[in-house]
């Protein structure tokens, strides 16, 4: 990265004005929080209420990477892939229920910038997707993104992280015999036959196209792709659930070096046995068409309410 680029990143304001928005200002995610945290017991004061952390909630962060491999050696920063798919699976062990939270890749955050040798350089305002690119190993890249998502969600600890490159989709899906799903919306831009309400069977190659393709010339196209990605993930987990947890090892072997995972056995068991919520949550905020890239700004008040609902219990 050039010195000029770093300087531009460092000079980016933490609060950016949204043109054409009903809001006067948009804040970079995590720049401010409308609550107080008790440093002693981890509880949160919001309004007139105190909220205690729900100890029965686990989390698994899934990252879909837009590069073809996890190989990072000799790859320059910003060239090692980005996290196109970011889904946090919130596991409620009391209800034995899993709720997916879609996190927009274009969410504006304070990204930690590193050089090729893993040395910290600066912090700059960029899309969340870029945080993965600044890791010089799959482990470092995944953990940097995990930490940034944790910051975004009020420093909620994220227990597990999985990252899979786009070339890993095909062997994984083929190893479980494909995935069947009913289209929630018209996707004829991917395939003329993909009309809303149609049930389709995706093999490895068609699954890769389904979750990865989008028209980059169309602003906001990532929003519709996010919905496809989450729908596919849920359908895939239903397929895994129907085949039993032993299929997970088959999938891991099929994925090979395309996959990086830091997940405990209990979480794997829960992901393959618990029910999935019919509700898919989205990070609250607004997509802004600014410059050459879309930028997504979270609504801090609504995000706080979401965080409290997912991870805390009112005391």
């Amino acid at each position: 990265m050039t010195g000029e680029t770093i300087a531009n990143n460092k000079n980016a304001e933490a609060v950016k004005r949204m043109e054409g928005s009903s809001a006067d200002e948009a804040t970079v995610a995590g720049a401010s929080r409308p609550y107080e945290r008790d440093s002693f017991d981890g509880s949160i004061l919001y309004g007139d209420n105190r909220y205690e952390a729900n100890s029965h909630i686990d989390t698994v962060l899934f990252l879909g990477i837009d590069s073809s491999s996890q190989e990072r050696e000799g790859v320059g920063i910003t060239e090692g892939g980005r996290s196109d798919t970011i889904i946090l699976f919130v596991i409620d062990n009391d209800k034995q229920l899993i709720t997916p939270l879609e996190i927009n890749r274009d969410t504006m955050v304070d990204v930690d910038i590193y050089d090729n040798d893993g040395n910290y350089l600066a912090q700059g305002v960029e899309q969340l997707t870029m945080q993965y690119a600044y890791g010089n190993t799959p482990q470092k890249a995944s953990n940097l993104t995990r930490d940034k998502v944790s910051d975004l969600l009020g420093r909620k600890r994220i227990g597990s992280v999985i990252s899979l490159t786009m070339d890993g989709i095909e062997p994984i899906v083929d190893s479980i015999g494909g995935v069947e799903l009913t289209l929630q919306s018209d996707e004829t831009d991917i395939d003329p036959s993909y009309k809303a309400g149609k049930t389709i069977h995706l093999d490895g190659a068609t699954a890769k196209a389904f979750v990865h393709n989008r028209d980059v010339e169309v602003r906001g196209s990532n929003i519709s792709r996010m919905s496809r990605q989450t729908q596919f993930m849920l359908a895939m987990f239903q397929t895994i659930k129907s085949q039993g947890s032993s299929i997970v090892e088959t999938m891991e072997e099929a994925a090979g070096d395309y996959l990086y995972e830091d997940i405990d056995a209990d979480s794997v068991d829960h992901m393959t046995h618990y029910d999935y919520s019919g509700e898919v949550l989205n990070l609250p905020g607004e997509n802004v068409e600014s410059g050459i890239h879309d930028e997504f700004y979270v609504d801090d008040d609504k995000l706080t309410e979401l965080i409290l609902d997912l991870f805390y219990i009112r005391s």
Side-chain angles (χ1 to χ4, degrees):
M1 173 174 286
T2 66
E4 180 182 1
T5 303
I6 295 173
N8 289 339
N9 284 325
K10 293 181 72 175
N11 290 332
E13 295 179 353
V15 177
K16 301 186 71 175
R17 186 168 299 278
M18 297 166 62
E19 296 180 1
S21 169
S22 58
D24 291 331
E25 292 181 333
T27 59
V28 171
S32 63
R33 284 283 175 255
Y35 57 73
E36 296 180 16
R37 181 183 296 276
D38 190 316
S39 60
F40 291 100
D41 63 8
S43 63
I44 281 178
L45 296 175
Y46 181 62
D48 297 326
N49 299 306
R50 180 181 292 273
Y51 296 82
E52 310 289 341
N54 187 344
S55 61
H56 299 283
I57 298 294
D58 292 324
T59 47
V60 175
L61 180 65
F62 176 82
L63 306 174
I65 311 306
D66 68 356
S67 59
S68 58
S69 90
Q70 291 273 20
E71 177 58 49
R72 317 286 288 184
E73 186 174 352
V75 177
I77 53 175
T78 77
E79 298 174 0
R82 298 170 176 82
S83 50
D84 266 2
T85 307
I86 308 174
I87 305 172
L88 184 70
F89 292 96
V90 181
I91 305 171
D92 188 323
N93 291 300
D94 284 339
K95 298 178 181 178
Q96 296 191 4
L97 185 69
I98 300 174
T99 301
L101 172 62
E102 292 180 344
I103 299 176
N104 195 313
R105 70 186 289 281
D106 296 326
T107 302
M108 301 303 290
V109 298
D110 290 319
V111 167
D112 296 322
I113 301 169
Y114 293 79
D115 65 16
N116 290 340
D117 298 320
N119 300 309
Y120 177 78
L121 297 177
Q123 193 173 76
V125 179
E126 297 188 72
Q127 285 95 342
L128 175 60
T129 183
M130 286 299 302
Q131 185 63 84
Y132 189 90
Y134 291 115
N136 58 0
T137 68
Q139 179 183 25
K140 181 69 174 291
S142 298
N143 286 333
L144 283 173
T145 306
R146 169 163 55 179
D147 291 344
K148 197 56 58 177
V149 172
S150 173
D151 290 344
L152 174 63
L153 299 177
R155 300 199 300 275
K156 164 64 183 174
R157 180 184 176 275
I158 297 174
S160 303
V161 62
I162 300 169
S163 66
L164 178 71
T165 69
M166 60 182 179
D167 280 1
I169 297 171
E170 188 166 345
I172 278 185
V173 173
D174 286 338
S175 74
I176 61 175
V179 171
E180 187 174 280
L181 58 83
T182 300
L183 294 170
Q184 297 175 347
S185 57
D186 190 290
E187 304 294 349
T188 51
D189 55 331
I190 299 175
D191 186 295
S193 68
Y194 286 3
K195 296 182 178 181
K198 180 178 181 179
T199 298
I200 61 175
H201 182 87
L202 299 172
D203 61 14
T206 53
K208 179 180 176 182
F210 186 79
V211 301
H212 183 68
N213 289 2
R214 70 168 173 137
D215 188 346
V216 295
E217 300 298 324
V218 176
R219 286 304 182 90
S221 61
N222 179 58
I223 303 294
S224 59
R225 182 175 65 173
M226 283 170 54
S227 297
R228 290 201 311 270
Q229 291 168 340
T230 305
Q231 183 184 11
F232 170 77
M233 291 293 294
L234 294 178
M236 184 173 73
F237 280 119
Q238 291 297 337
T239 302
I240 296 169
K241 187 176 180 180
S242 69
Q243 297 187 26
S245 55
S246 61
I247 196 67
V248 172
E249 185 175 345
T250 300
M251 294 171 63
E252 290 172 333
E253 291 176 355
D257 292 338
Y258 298 125
L259 176 70
Y260 169 79
E261 55 183 343
D262 175 14
I263 184 170
D264 60 85
D266 285 343
S267 293
V268 171
D269 183 69
H270 297 161
M271 293 285 285
T272 55
H273 287 91
Y274 284 2
D275 289 329
Y276 284 81
S277 170
E279 180 183 18
V280 176
L281 302 177
N282 294 280
L283 204 65
E286 183 173 356
N287 197 68
V288 178
E289 299 175 5
S290 176
I292 61 174
H293 299 295
D294 285 0
E295 297 178 355
F296 184 84
Y297 293 91
V298 299
D299 182 314
D300 271 334
D301 288 318
K302 290 182 179 179
L303 178 57
T304 294
E305 293 172 2
L306 178 64
I307 290 169
L308 294 176
D309 184 56
L310 286 175
F311 306 123
Y312 290 83
I313 301 172
R314 192 169 74 179
S315 57

